[in-house]
Amino acid sequence: MNIKLIKATIEDAEQLWEMQVKSFQRLLDKYQDYETNPASEPVEKMIVRLNQKETYYYFICMDNVKVGAIRVIDYHNDKNKRISPLFVLPEYQNRGIAQKAMALCEEIHGCDKWELDTILQEESNCYLYEKMGYHKTGKTESINDKLTLIFYEK
């Protein structure tokens, strides 16, 4: 399995957005977090992010097939870099793809000063980030009675 990142451009907005919706739909159905779930976002929000100078979107490609994407926010200063969001299409999940994509982002943007958040109730997500060297910050945010965000840093 060959994983590589390809930098996305504004012309990729629609494709990125469609992949994001497909990837997050299960979680939206499960947690009904319509205000915060990426599957609820309009394509215009993707366009705004792609136009931010500190935002880097990468397609995650497995054997030259686009299977997901990762957004890195990197101000190129002392602020933490942030991953938000990271997603892999449902049919490609649980293959170690996200882990490899995160490692590739660290090669590009540096290994230290990272942050992210995830759903506390999604144990596999928490396990992935902890395996990648992230530590819980102690901060959590209740979104609704089903979903709590937990914050990590590295």
Side-chain angles (χ1 to χ4, degrees):
M1 171 173 60
N2 181 30
I3 302 295
K4 66 181 179 182
L5 300 180
I6 297 175
K7 192 164 186 320
T9 68
I10 195 70
E11 289 79 20
D12 299 312
E14 186 84 23
Q15 184 180 19
L16 279 168
W17 176 75
E18 288 173 0
M19 292 173 74
Q20 175 176 283
V21 170
K22 186 175 181 184
S23 298
F24 282 99
Q25 188 63 52
R26 179 189 68 82
L27 295 173
L28 179 62
D29 294 342
K30 181 176 180 179
Y31 296 109
Q32 300 171 2
D33 55 323
Y34 300 103
E35 301 298 317
T36 59
N37 189 297
S40 292
E41 294 177 354
V43 69
E44 291 79 16
K45 193 163 187 178
M46 179 72 68
I47 293 167
V48 167
R49 287 182 180 150
L50 280 161
N51 281 318
Q52 294 169 334
K53 65 179 168 75
E54 66 275 0
T55 286
Y56 301 82
Y57 265 103
Y58 300 97
F59 283 109
I60 303 168
C61 299
M62 179 181 78
D63 301 326
N64 295 317
V65 175
K66 293 175 182 171
V67 299
I70 186 169
R71 175 182 175 225
V72 173
I73 303 163
D74 186 350
Y75 292 95
H76 299 286
N77 61 20
D78 282 342
K79 289 180 78 171
N80 283 355
K81 295 172 282 280
R82 180 167 180 74
I83 294 174
S84 178
L86 162 60
F87 55 88
V88 176
L89 292 168
E91 60 268 32
Y92 295 100
Q93 291 176 1
N94 301 311
R95 298 187 192 184
I97 295 169
Q99 181 177 339
K100 289 183 180 172
M102 290 175 70
L104 289 170
C105 283
E106 288 184 4
E107 288 179 22
I108 296 167
H109 294 275
C111 297
D112 59 342
K113 297 189 70 142
W114 287 89
E115 63 183 44
L116 56 82
D117 59 76
T118 194
I119 300 171
L120 175 63
Q121 291 81 1
E122 292 295 312
E123 293 177 8
S124 61
N125 289 359
C126 296
Y127 176 76
L128 165 66
Y129 300 134
E130 290 171 18
K131 184 167 73 169
M132 293 296 297
Y134 285 77
H135 325 299
K136 297 172 186 169
T137 65
K139 178 182 173 187
T140 60
E141 182 180 334
S142 178
I143 301 301
N144 61 34
D145 61 347
K146 300 176 185 177
L147 185 152
T148 301
L149 292 179
I150 184 167
F151 293 78
Y152 284 91
E153 64 184 6
K154 180 176 183 177

